[in-house]
Amino acid sequence: MKPLPSFLIHRPRTVNEALKMLSELEKAKPIAGGTDLLPLLRDRVVEAKNLIDISLIPELRGIKEGRNEIRIGAATKIKDVEKSRIIFEKAPVLCDAASSIGSPQIRNLGTIGGNICNASPAADSAPSLLVLDAYAEVVSSKGSREIPVKEVFKGPKRNSLRPDELLISIKFPEPFDTSTMSFQKLGRRRGYTIAQVNVAVLLEFDGPVCCDAKISVGAAASTPIRIYEAEERLWNKRLTEEIIEDASTQCMRAVDPIDDVRASAEYRREMSHVLVRRCLMEAWNKARRLM
Amino acid sequence: MEYANILQDLLKRDEYLIVGKKVARTDALDKVLGRALFTADYVPKGTMVVKVVRSLQPHALIRKIDYKEALKIPGVIRVITASDIPGENQIGYALPDQPFLNDAKVHYVGDPLALVCASDEYSASEAVDAIKVEYNALPSHLTVDSALASDAIPIHDGGNIAVKTRIRKGDVAKGFKESTVEVEETYETPYQEHMYLETEAAYAIPEGSDKVTVIGTMQSPFLVREKVAKILGWSLSQVRIIQALTGGAFGKKDDMGPLVCAEAALAAVLVGKPAARIYDRDESVAYTPKRFPARFRYRSGADSEGKLKAIEVEITLECGAYANRSPFWLWRQTAHAAGPYYVPNAAIDGKAVYTNKVYGGSFRGFGDLAMQFAAESQMDRLAEKINIDPIEFRLKNILKTGLTTTCDQLLDHSVGIEECLRRVAEASNWSKYVPCKEGSRVRGLGVGCAYHGISTSRGTPDWSACSLILNQDGTFTYRTGICELGQGSPIGHAKIVSEIVGAPLDFIHVELPDTSSTPDAKPTHGSRGLMLGGTAAADAALKLRDNMLKVAAEMLECREDEVELKGGEAFERGTPSNKISFSELAEELYARGISPASYGFYASPKRYFDPETGLGVNYSVYTFAASVAEVEVDLETGETTVLKVWPAMDVGKAIDPLMIEGQIEGAVSQGIGFALMENLILEDGVVLNPFFKDYIIPSALDTPEIAKPILVEKPYKHSAFGAKGVGEPAIISIVPAIVNAIHNATGIRFNTLPITAERLYDAIRRSRQ
């Protein structure tokens, strides 16, 4: 293990100040909790001379409920997402995902924006954000853009942001009161674990009919993915265990996992089947209780 | 002296004051508040940093170590290679096969080649990268089978078998002839890493031109002193070793204490400056000793009555690059191969084999964990074949007073395994249990039994020493070479002293072991710290008590046998108001010239054994344990959840039940790790998961409910209050209990550990095909 390379740390108070630093300072990188970035710097996977600590910028912190939309500042701590009443009531699938990230210590430091920008295929918040149709608000000194969270993930540990861009917030449309959701994760132990597979689903019902279904699987491809071909099999159907099994089987075919020290590709593939089925069953059962 | 009884007679107490009671540890608060000092806390900022240059090849001859470029890096002070070592370049524990720094050959990826001394971490790290080593690669042996092949290249002179062991008891052929059922299986157990929180660390300060003091993490200060002196070519008295509080050890710091302290000391002495050597986590995981992997071919036979008739066991232990502790490890496995059962006929053969991988070393359970996983799997299989309940089958064969071990050692007292087993069966409601299924989850119950010889084996002399001083203010200074590693042995000693001299526990200050003032207690290993060290403490306390009684009797004007020592006071038993405080008593001892200090010494009863048959008195006493575990297996994912563990242990006498519970709880967690998840992954001899991130150990959430441990007390007559060691025996029965419970739940039996979710999932799928 090598010692952490030296760097300068800057603590801007506004987004504009941060953007200016990002575009002007040599080898500049934004940092919030640092729980992913510091090990990457230590292992020389990422190089930075100037770290721009964005965690003091007020508009990057906190969870707000807007008109039909929920906004989470990019530098909001995972712990705050986990404990948020708004998220618990409107998007419990994100609450469950947040509470499964790392350890309490990691959740106290790590941020939701960092979990996305780190672009790990196993990022635990990603499947939930993907089924919530979340998008990322990205700004640079040249302007701002909004892209689906899915598109922030470019490949393992690679995001699609330009070096001068900053993730400001994550927003998603407030799910209907009738939406039901589920998050499931499999790891090598119960607590403090990196996902071998993680899955989120969101179902919407019109009476007894499933009118919309969203399924996302993480750690089973180079990025977290939505599995539209499986979702389609649930649309406008009165769900049955057979239909759910069919959609889950579809997911198993759609994933493209790798072998590594955490699991074999084969196991990940099989488990994406099991976890999708469990998520769909749980969301369906929640819906049936509401009906 | 039979310490177990004499104390009771001598102390004349209806009830012990402190022994046997749950007491808050005197060191707990500082540790919880982060105020306790560990080795790295003693290192001042700016201290010279020492790093190790290591082999990147598993097996090769060294052509050249070129460090010219490294010396040009600003901040680099010196590079030390084998030729700079003033003493003997040898650190092997059992066999002289392990150079301290290699200059001829490398034996595994990570073999040390040179030490870099630099002013800071950055220049040291740069220098390590700048040192160029040229090799002539040799074919490497990465499995025991490859190392045992007829055309194998010897890793060390003398071939790839480091050591062999054997036991021949009775007539095995006859035993199998009398058997109606037979089971033969091969079991394999993997490496396990200790993953203690504090990595290896040492801080060395040279004094003048011919002395050095080292503060470090270790389990045996006197072994460290011996090895450091040997490498420096100095006498023992030139080297002073201080054991700082140690943040977890589990055996490995017995192996690593000498290495890390010698690395710091050599740098400090050659450069003439204080030196700090602190291991990185990946260095500790990838390059330092692990639990030895092992393979057991195990054949057992029993008759129709359910009596074990014979066992035939072949043990192949993988040493890795160096023999290190393998002769002792292998012997322990050989001696304990049957588990805690009576077997009339046994043939056991062991061999320890070198490979070009990270080497094995001491680890809690020391061979018995793996061995008794195999033995207990055999017991369950035999029971199944005979169609008899696994506990009933065990009870028919369990060791009792009057029976002999596999080594033909007669057990004449202190054998509590039957009671342990009966009581865990009762506590877990074993006979009424029905394995159940709910959705994709199935549950099952399993049992494991264990025994573990305490301290060293065979004829090795075993003794312990300590010193005790009554200070003028009535407090005591206690010194023992037994180390505090988190387990609390020295506090157990203090409780023994407290009981005997009648002082409150906080009157007794336990000093850190320091070879310049502490008597040698021999190592803190083999679960001997309390049993051996504590009995020496009792000896010291009894001697000092005599002097205290003599003076107190004169001061109180009563007979010596009327004096009671209690609560830091001496008083007349019949007239408690006639009393003096320990400070008054202490002053009087000093004034009268009656020694206020004592030296405690205790030697184990003699043991002996016949190397040809392996028979004899191997261990002075055994600690016994039994556990029942309930597991739940998810058939769709292969995940195993340990729901509850019911542990029992025959501890001789519980000096502190709370500390024993602590040992058992930690052992349940470490046992779950070995059974279900810990998995060191090597590719071409390179460890691929050297960090907490991917070397998975159980978290708090993986820890099951643990029933209140059942403590059986069958006192050992030669130890203080009858106590036996508990640290290692605590873990041994946990693993087979879990493995047997998985079988009970799923019908699938695993011969190889760990039973990860993925492996169990694959096995479930195969069983359905």
Side-chain angles (χ1 to χ4, degrees), chain B residues 216-270:
Chain B
T217 61
M218 65 193 75
Q219 295 180 222
S220 312
F222 292 87
L223 174 68
V224 172
R225 182 176 69 165
E226 179 197 322
K227 296 290 182 185
V228 170
K230 188 170 167 186
I231 281 158
L232 293 173
W234 283 0
S235 68
L236 295 178
S237 58
Q238 289 173 280
V239 177
R240 177 184 180 195
I241 304 292
I242 299 168
Q243 183 244 345
L245 290 178
T246 293
F250 307 113
K252 182 155 81 169
K253 282 180 180 160
D254 206 11
D255 291 322
M256 290 308 296
L259 267 164
V260 67
C261 290
E263 287 161 1
L266 181 63
V269 166
L270 292 184

Side-chain angles (χ1 to χ4, degrees), chain B residues 183-248:
Chain B
V183 168
E184 183 173 346
E185 293 287 335
T186 299
Y187 300 87
E188 280 184 69
T189 56
Y191 281 119
Q192 186 182 22
E193 158 59 29
H194 310 63
M195 277 293 181
Y196 32 58
L197 285 184
E198 183 204 28
T199 59
E200 300 76 8
Y203 172 48
I205 310 123
E207 289 176 53
S209 54
D210 60 355
K211 279 201 174 121
V212 67
T213 295
V214 189
I215 300 171
T217 61
M218 65 193 75
Q219 295 180 222
S220 312
F222 292 87
L223 174 68
V224 172
R225 182 176 69 165
E226 179 197 322
K227 296 290 182 185
V228 170
K230 188 170 167 186
I231 281 158
L232 293 173
W234 283 0
S235 68
L236 295 178
S237 58
Q238 289 173 280
V239 177
R240 177 184 180 195
I241 304 292
I242 299 168
Q243 183 244 345
L245 290 178
T246 293

Side-chain angles (χ1 to χ4, degrees), chain B residues 698-759:
Chain B
S699 71
L701 293 176
D702 299 283
T703 308
E705 182 187 348
I706 300 168
K708 190 180 159 47
I710 295 164
L711 302 183
V712 173
E713 296 185 322
K714 304 277 184 201
Y716 170 49
K717 60 187 176 189
H718 298 295
S719 74
F721 299 94
K724 302 192 281 192
V726 301
E728 296 180 278
I731 195 172
I732 301 167
S733 66
I734 305 295
V735 173
I738 292 170
V739 177
N740 290 336
I742 290 174
H743 174 258
N744 186 236
T746 63
I748 299 172
R749 195 165 273 294
F750 282 83
N751 285 3
T752 308
L753 301 177
I755 309 170
T756 61
E758 184 168 351
R759 286 192 55 227

